Amino acid sequence: MAVLKQKSVLDMIKEFRNNWHTLCNSERTTLCGADSMLLALQLSMAENNKQHSGEFTVSLSDVLLTWKYLLNEKLNLPVENMKVTDHYEDIKKSYDDFLKNSNMLDLIDVYQKCKALTSDCEINNTISSVSIFKMILF
């Protein structure tokens, strides 16, 4: 099952590469995996903490809590009854700005762009928001 999901994601990335000119503004776009997404979120949260409290630090528990919330929100999965850290909107904006300024796209952005490419795309039939969520989170 995991191999099938990996193949589906690789197919999605191939589709993205084949159609990058319709999906991106730049031909030099870096695709972020889950580890780079988490690092970008941690840096964004640390920057946000520096602006609000003066310290460029963030606790791992806050990063993981925000990580799970961000994934659910970006994939349009239910977020009710989930805790979220203070200044979440500032953190999300900082995260999005970081990716944009670094000319990067995360896996969720690639998934959404490929999904929007065509409604009957093979990717839409093999990858769901929940499977992307599980792949990134685990």
Side-chain angles (χ1 to χ4, degrees), residues 20-29 100 103 105 113:
W20 67 266
H21 54 280
T22 58
L23 300 171
C24 290
N25 296 333
S26 173
E27 64 185 54
R28 296 191 182 256
T29 300
K100 183 179 177 184
N103 204 23
L105 289 174
K113 286 181 181 287

Side-chain angles (χ1 to χ4, degrees), residues 5-62:
K5 287 181 185 178
Q6 288 176 342
K7 183 178 180 343
S8 298
V9 171
L10 289 175
D11 290 342
M12 177 184 70
I13 291 171
K14 286 178 187 175
E15 180 75 19
F16 176 80
R17 285 182 179 166
N18 290 335
N19 295 297
W20 67 266
H21 54 280
T22 58
L23 300 171
C24 290
N25 296 333
S26 173
E27 64 185 54
R28 296 191 182 256
T29 300
T30 302
L31 305 181
C32 296
D35 55 343
S36 297
M37 292 169 64
L38 189 58
L39 180 61
L41 179 63
Q42 182 180 11
L43 290 171
S44 299
M45 291 180 71
E47 178 64 28
N48 190 299
N49 280 349
K50 184 177 180 183
Q51 292 173 357
H52 292 285
S53 67
E55 291 189 29
F56 191 75
T57 60
V58 64
S59 71
L60 180 59
S61 61
D62 286 345

Side-chain angles (χ1 to χ4, degrees), residues 78-89:
V79 293
E80 61 268 350
N81 299 327
M82 288 181 72
K83 291 186 179 184
V84 66
T85 57
D86 294 335
H87 310 290
Y88 173 75
E89 290 303 320

Side-chain angles (χ1 to χ4, degrees), residues 104-121:
M104 300 168 88
L105 289 174
D106 63 24
L107 285 175
I108 297 171
D109 293 334
V110 172
Y111 168 71
Q112 290 170 340
K113 286 181 181 287
C114 285
K115 189 174 177 182
L117 185 62
T118 58
S119 60
D120 59 351
C121 181

